[in-house]
Amino acid sequence: MSFAAAKHTFVQSTSSVFANRKEKKKKKNVIAFSPHQKTQKKNLIVSAEATKQAHEGIAEAHESTLASMRMTSRNSSSSSSSSSSGTYAHEGIAEAHESSLASMRLAPARDANTATTSRPSSKADEKDALYFSATCPFCHKIWITMLEKNISFDGFVWEDLENKSEAFCKTFATGSPDAEANPSVPVLRLPNGKVMVESALVMNYFCCNDTYPGVDLRPKTAEQRYDGQLFENTFNTVVPAFFKCLRAKNEAELESAISEVEHALAKADRCLQMNASFGGDNGNYCCGNQFTSHDCATMGFLSRLRVVLKHYRDYDLNNTLQKLPWLKSWADAVEKRPSLLKTYELVPGIVGKSSVDEAYIAHFAKFVSWSSAI
Ligand SMILES: N[C@@H](CCC(=O)N[C@@H](CS)C(=O)NCC(=O)O)C(=O)O
């Protein structure tokens, strides 16, 4: 199918998606989380039992990684930050990036009063720490990467985002370019005290570091690197649109946000169509037959679109994928990866939910204020 034809079908399908949604709106009420459920989530503490289950379910090579995972201490009185606003650092990143490019100029000289030559410091204590959330889609990139590369890592610190530990908040402030920002996972602290933030960068640290040889997830050729990165950047424009869907306050806002989701996915589909290495006998990963970090950086978001938007907004990702054949082939390929399936298997035990879907739905509850009666 040519792109023009696919696009035409896509536009048609978009209107029928809305028609279907309006139909269903009369039939079903979206379940919004009650204040009681929210409180329960707030008080969530990963139990020793859940941790044990996670240990038991782990693949052999990854066993030692999770075997020593530890929860941080919960000293709420000294915690310097609250996450009740539900801020996602990634949200609106496309716009933020655009405006930061637009305003890129020589930085003004620092005012003598504010200039500093000292560095923010983090105590080196000979121990890696990766502050993490099992349901966070950004952390998911790193988790998949580590499983794919068979990285044995004993520094996981599973953060409860509703009750952030002091150690996490301090470490984030040490490494973030914006020390005042709401602390977000993932954050990696190395034994020498260096702190890294931003999931894509931490993921690449694990991909490019010879300490973790494993399978090479970097595309083999420069052209494939281009194609993989173009796909990753383009696919990830769905992220702010996804949050807009959740935050929508009325039907009109929701429809516009859903159009943005569909548009982002149509662009990702087009990237694959334009990529000569992709499809059929060439293989259905975004760089063709080689599974790469660009797949790791994107595939975890499919389940959020599928499960979370279905639950809160009655949006059916499968309907959209039917109209986007290249993206569907990619989704079919990456969603079979044992690494991804392993994370799905482990999530419920780590966060104390009965299924991975329930865990993801709970993770995003705080973003949904308007309950569309779909
Ligand atoms: N751009 C960041 C986004 C990270 C992010 O938004 N993480 C969420 C969890 S999925 C978070 O920690 N939010 C802070 C909060 O909930 O208070 C990245 O890619 O690492």
Side-chain angles (χ1 to χ4, degrees):
M1 185 192 298
S2 72
F3 180 70
K7 195 167 176 202
H8 177 68
T9 320
F10 167 70
V11 171
Q12 284 187 325
S13 69
T14 309
S15 24
S16 66
V17 166
F18 290 141
N20 287 343
R21 286 183 51 252
K22 278 180 179 151
E23 241 342 272
K24 285 182 191 160
K25 180 179 166 180
K26 294 170 195 145
K27 294 181 195 151
K28 184 187 159 199
N29 281 325
V30 161
I31 303 155
F33 276 67
S34 67
H36 173 64
Q37 282 167 306
K38 283 184 185 163
T39 313
Q40 279 185 328
K41 185 171 184 281
K42 239 183 179 158
N43 294 334
L44 173 75
I45 292 176
V46 177
S47 67
E49 183 52 31
T51 306
K52 186 165 154 278
Q53 280 170 15
H55 286 214
E56 282 162 3
I58 199 75
E60 216 178 287
H62 205 56
E63 217 162 275
S64 65
T65 302
L66 286 194
S68 52
M69 74 192 185
R70 57 194 193 279
M71 286 298 293
T72 54
S73 64
R74 297 276 171 265
N75 186 350
S76 53
S77 60
S78 57
S79 177
S80 63
S81 156
S82 151
S83 61
S84 56
S85 60
T87 320
Y88 258 60
H90 210 79
E91 204 172 355
I93 196 151
E95 289 132 58
H97 190 63
E98 250 162 55
S99 71
S100 74
L101 284 182
S103 60
M104 205 160 66
R105 291 182 196 98
L106 278 182
R110 280 189 188 177
D111 183 286
N113 295 325
T114 56
T116 172
T117 51
S118 66
R119 294 177 182 210
S121 65
S122 163
K123 217 173 114 232
D125 65 356
E126 313 287 319
K127 184 94 183 109
D128 301 80
L130 179 55
Y131 295 95
F132 217 68
S133 152
T135 47
C136 163
F138 307 104
C139 293
H140 207 174
K141 302 175 192 180
I142 302 168
W143 200 2
I144 292 166
T145 302
M146 292 171 107
L147 286 164
E148 288 284 346
K149 284 180 75 68
N150 254 346
I151 291 176
S152 175
F153 182 83
D154 69 358
F156 280 104
V157 183
W158 303 93
E159 267 305 307
D160 175 358
L161 293 175
E162 305 307 314
N163 184 18
K164 296 172 185 168
S165 69
E166 190 183 2
F168 163 60
C169 295
K170 279 190 178 156
T171 310
F172 174 85
T174 303
S176 171
D178 181 357
E180 305 297 318
N182 179 33
S184 59
V185 288
V187 173
L188 175 65
R189 197 201 60 225
L190 303 180
N192 66 6
K194 183 167 182 61
V195 174
M196 297 184 187
V197 297
E198 284 301 320
S199 56
L201 305 184
V202 175
M203 182 193 81
N204 279 325
Y205 169 79
F206 284 109
C207 281
C208 303
N209 188 329
D210 292 338
T211 318
Y212 307 112
V215 178
D216 195 353
L217 295 174
R218 290 168 291 186
K220 301 240 174 327
T221 68
E223 203 173 301
Q224 284 172 325
R225 274 199 290 280
Y226 167 84
D227 285 325
Q229 193 66 57
L230 183 68
F231 175 76
E232 179 183 333
N233 294 358
T234 305
F235 181 90
N236 282 338
T237 61
V238 83
V239 176
F242 165 84
F243 282 105
K244 275 191 193 167
C245 288
L246 296 185
R247 288 197 189 279
K249 289 185 207 67
N250 52 51
E251 191 66 32
E253 282 184 17
L254 178 57
E255 296 206 356
S256 146
I258 285 179
S259 301
E260 285 185 35
V261 166
E262 306 249 1
H263 186 52
L265 296 176
K267 286 186 297 176
D269 184 69
R270 180 165 158 80
C271 288
L272 298 173
Q273 187 193 3
M274 293 187 302
N275 178 354
S277 307
F278 178 82
D281 293 342
N282 288 337
N284 289 324
Y285 299 124
C286 69
C287 290
N289 59 19
Q290 185 198 359
F291 179 85
T292 66
S293 64
H294 302 295
D295 298 300
C296 299
T298 43
M299 62 203 258
F301 224 86
L302 284 169
S303 51
R304 275 66 180 193
L305 294 171
R306 182 172 281 114
V307 173
V308 178
L309 287 191
K310 179 71 191 165
H311 179 81
Y312 290 113
R313 297 309 188 206
D314 200 34
Y315 170 73
D316 188 343
L317 177 68
N318 295 338
N319 270 348
T320 305
L321 289 180
Q322 291 305 328
K323 321 287 180 330
L324 303 174
W326 295 278
L327 194 66
K328 182 175 182 328
S329 309
W330 170 76
D332 288 345
V334 293
E335 291 199 303
K336 286 196 194 93
R337 291 299 290 187
S339 57
L340 186 70
L341 301 176
K342 177 52 77 180
T343 61
Y344 291 163
E345 187 187 315
L346 293 172
V347 166
I350 296 170
V351 302
K353 295 282 178 195
S354 62
S355 70
V356 63
D357 289 8
E358 199 191 307
Y360 288 165
I361 287 165
H363 179 98
F364 292 100
K366 64 187 174 187
F367 298 97
V368 184
S369 50
W370 171 66
S371 298
S372 49
I374 296 175

